[in-house]
């Protein structure tokens, strides 16, 4: 399957533009939206993963660091500045008088004109705020504590890129929502992929945490001579996680924590014996980091997504109950569809995760009537108990 053009717009957004009666305004917005789509795509995580360090040690201050990182920094600034230029071209800010005001404008003559002015103001203000953030990035990367350490530089760069994507997405959503009732997923380029990546990362992080926790539970009953082998197994779990596509979206600061732990574990695995307390002290703080990562994804990124999935699962379960009441064979189908959809909530709750793992089924593997009813009742209980902030 070929990759769509970087400036491709979601079908819902294209339909919205087609429906606008003011064609000049529609063409102006289309130029902004296409520039926004390119910026969002190019600011994605894959563009800078190749610049990330592979060891926990800082690089130190030398010219090679800047030579290595200059393309990533230049791409970031270039992508955002291009969008700012397009906005200022399509929706130029009104000229200010010597006194600083923008002069008098007649009130809008129609509802369409009022919306057009609202959208124009949102675009202009967004461009100004993006420009200030570009200047902030330039200042941040010149700080001594940043310029001498690739980890610090990558952390700043990733943070700004995420912020730029969020602000650009807000611009597209807010201007589109002025004309029609739309969701972010319908109109913001790349939003669906961003949510899918966050869902994948949350799931992978919590699976990694569960794996590490189960290995730590073996420390108390393992002799010191056997703990180097256990340290190697923990390191292999971290290595497997690092090789997963989902791990690419992890924050740089958290990746550094995992790399530091892997290096410690590699050292412990070479020792003839390791005290249990030493291994526990190395790994336990990372369990807290992984839990924090999942919590941040849940509360800062996936809140609206999770509520929509929760509601969709509830509707499916209602259908399953109706099928059971009527004696219809559709109950199992609907339940399995609900379980598949609910997998997007994996990582929100240990009890819910355990329920999902228990009811993962191979294709063609059916459910007996008693199993179906029990699974449905447990599903409803677990779904109702999910914490929402």
């Amino acid at each position: 399957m070929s990759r769509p053009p970087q400036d491709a717009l979601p079908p819902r957004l294209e339909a919205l533009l087609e429906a606008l009666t003011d064609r000049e305004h529609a063409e102006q917005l289309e130029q902004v939206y296409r520039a926004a789509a390119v910026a969002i795509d190019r600011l994605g995580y894959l563009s800078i993963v190749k610049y990330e360090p592979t060891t926990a040690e800082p690089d130190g201050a030398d010219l090679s660091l800047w030579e290595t990182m200059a393309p990533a920094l230049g791409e970031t600034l270039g992508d955002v500045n291009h969008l700012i230029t397009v906005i200022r071209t399509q929706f130029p800010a009104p000229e200010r008088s010597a006194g600083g005001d923008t002069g008098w404008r007649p009130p809008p003559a129609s509802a369409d004109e009022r919306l057009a002015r609202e959208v124009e103001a949102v675009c202009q203000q967004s461009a100004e705020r993006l420009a200030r953030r570009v200047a902030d990035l330039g200042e941040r990367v010149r700080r001594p504590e940043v310029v001498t350490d690739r980890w610090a530089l990558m952390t700043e760069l990733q943070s700004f890129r995420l912020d730029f994507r969020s602000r650009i997405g807000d611009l597209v959503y807010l201007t589109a929502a002025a004309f029609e009732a739309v969701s972010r997923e319908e109109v913001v380029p790349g939003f669906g992929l961003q949510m899918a990546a966050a869902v994948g990362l949350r799931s992978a992080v919590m699976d990694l945490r569960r794996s590490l926790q189960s290995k730590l539970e073996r420390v108390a009953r393992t002799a010191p001579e056997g703990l180097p082998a256990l340290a190697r197994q923990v390191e292999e779990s971290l290595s497997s996680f690092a090789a997963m596509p989902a791990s690419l979206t992890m924050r740089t600061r958290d990746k550094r924590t995992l790399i530091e732990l892997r290096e410690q574990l590699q050292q412990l695995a070479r020792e003839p014996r390791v005290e249990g307390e030493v291994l526990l002290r190395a790994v336990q703080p990372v369990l807290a980091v992984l839990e924090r990562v999942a919590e941040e994804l849940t509360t800062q990124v996936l809140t609206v997504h999770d509520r929509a999935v929760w509601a969709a699962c509830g509707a499916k379960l209602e259908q399953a109950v109706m099928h059971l009441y009527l004696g219809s064979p559709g109950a199992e189908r609907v339940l399995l569809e609900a379980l598949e959809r609910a997998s997007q909530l994996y990582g929100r709750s240990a009890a819910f995760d355990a329920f999902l793992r228990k009811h993962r089924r191979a294709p063609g593997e059916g459910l007996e009537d008693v199993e179906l009813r029990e699974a449905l009742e447990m599903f409803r209980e677990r779904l109702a108990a999910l914490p929402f902030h």
Side-chain angles (χ1 to χ4, degrees):
M1 184 176 178
S2 60
R3 190 175 185 276
Q6 287 185 320
D7 67 348
L9 301 181
R12 186 76 173 83
L13 190 57
E14 289 189 328
L16 185 151
L17 289 171
E18 282 292 324
L20 294 181
T21 54
D22 186 339
R23 298 315 304 160
E24 180 181 359
H25 189 66
E27 290 172 5
Q28 290 173 311
L29 270 178
E30 182 178 358
Q31 293 299 315
V32 171
Y33 288 160
R34 292 196 181 280
V38 172
I40 288 173
D41 182 77
R42 289 175 58 83
L43 289 168
Y45 61 90
L46 287 176
S47 301
I48 62 170
V49 165
K50 60 187 176 183
Y51 299 112
E52 288 181 341
T54 55
T55 66
E57 293 299 319
D59 291 314
D62 60 25
L63 184 60
S64 64
L65 173 59
W66 269 108
E67 290 177 344
T68 301
M69 296 302 300
L73 184 59
E75 289 171 10
T76 301
L77 296 176
D79 296 337
V80 180
N81 280 329
H82 174 68
L83 173 60
I84 293 170
T85 299
V86 171
I87 293 174
R88 288 173 172 171
T89 300
Q90 299 300 324
F91 299 104
E95 295 184 3
R96 293 184 177 273
S97 65
D101 59 65
T102 56
W104 181 82
R105 292 180 72 180
S110 65
D112 286 345
E113 187 177 348
R114 179 183 59 77
L115 289 178
R117 289 194 186 182
E118 176 185 316
V119 167
E120 180 181 351
V122 169
C123 289
Q124 291 167 350
Q125 289 300 316
S126 296
E128 290 305 309
R129 283 164 170 74
L130 285 170
R132 286 199 290 270
R133 291 296 285 164
V134 167
D136 290 342
L137 175 57
E139 292 180 6
R140 291 288 300 176
V141 298
R142 290 182 177 88
R143 294 188 176 185
E145 67 271 22
V146 174
V147 76
T148 59
D149 182 353
R150 189 189 298 189
W151 278 111
L153 186 54
M154 282 298 303
T155 298
E156 290 291 344
L157 189 57
Q158 185 189 53
S159 176
F160 272 87
R161 288 169 74 94
L162 289 171
D163 181 60
F164 284 139
R165 287 193 89 193
S166 175
R167 289 169 182 266
I168 295 169
D170 289 347
L171 161 65
V172 175
Y173 171 65
L174 198 56
T175 53
F179 300 104
E180 294 183 17
V182 293
S183 67
R184 287 180 181 272
E185 190 165 4
E186 289 178 316
V187 296
V188 177
F191 187 79
L193 293 176
Q194 182 184 357
M195 292 299 100
V199 166
L201 178 59
R202 180 174 63 184
S203 176
V205 160
M206 293 311 289
D207 271 342
L208 174 61
R209 188 186 186 285
R210 186 170 61 90
S211 173
L212 297 184
Q213 182 68 61
S214 68
K215 289 179 173 61
L216 289 188
E217 291 171 358
R218 293 158 49 190
V219 170
R221 57 180 185 270
T222 303
E225 291 77 12
L227 288 181
L230 185 58
R232 186 176 302 108
Q233 293 175 26
V234 174
E235 193 277 329
E236 288 170 353
S237 294
L238 292 170
S239 179
S240 297
F241 171 80
M244 297 173 63
S247 71
L248 295 175
T249 59
M250 198 175 203
R251 294 290 186 99
T252 300
R253 66 184 184 193
D254 301 319
K255 288 183 181 180
R256 184 176 190 175
T257 299
L258 297 188
I259 289 177
E260 288 173 344
L261 176 58
R262 287 182 62 188
E263 293 177 354
Q264 291 180 56
L265 293 169
Q266 289 167 358
Q267 178 62 38
L268 293 176
R270 290 192 289 267
E271 300 292 334
R273 54 181 283 137
V274 174
E275 295 299 326
E277 193 63 30
V278 173
L279 184 56
L280 289 173
R281 280 201 307 268
V283 180
Q284 282 178 334
V286 173
L287 299 183
V289 169
L290 296 174
E291 190 163 0
R292 173 182 56 74
V293 170
E295 180 70 9
E296 288 178 350
L297 288 167
T298 295
T299 59
Q300 299 176 16
V301 180
L302 293 170
T303 303
V304 175
H305 166 275
D306 287 355
R307 287 188 181 277
V309 173
W310 183 86
C313 289
K316 286 288 184 183
L317 294 184
E318 182 182 9
Q319 293 173 29
V321 170
M322 295 168 67
H323 278 293
L324 280 175
Y325 175 75
L326 296 171
S328 163
E332 180 178 353
R333 172 187 60 79
V334 174
L335 176 62
L336 294 178
E337 289 175 356
L339 285 167
E340 177 64 26
R341 187 69 187 273
S343 66
Q344 296 180 40
L345 298 174
Y346 191 91
R348 282 196 68 105
S349 159
F352 193 74
D353 295 350
F355 168 79
L356 291 176
R357 290 194 300 271
K358 179 181 178 181
H359 289 87
R360 286 172 180 164
R361 310 188 77 82
E365 186 179 351
L367 285 169
E368 298 293 336
D369 184 75
V370 174
E371 289 182 303
L372 179 60
R373 291 179 182 275
E374 289 179 350
L376 178 57
E377 185 60 30
M378 182 62 72
F379 197 168
R380 295 176 73 181
E381 291 178 6
R382 292 287 185 258
L383 193 66
L386 274 180
F388 277 93
H389 301 269

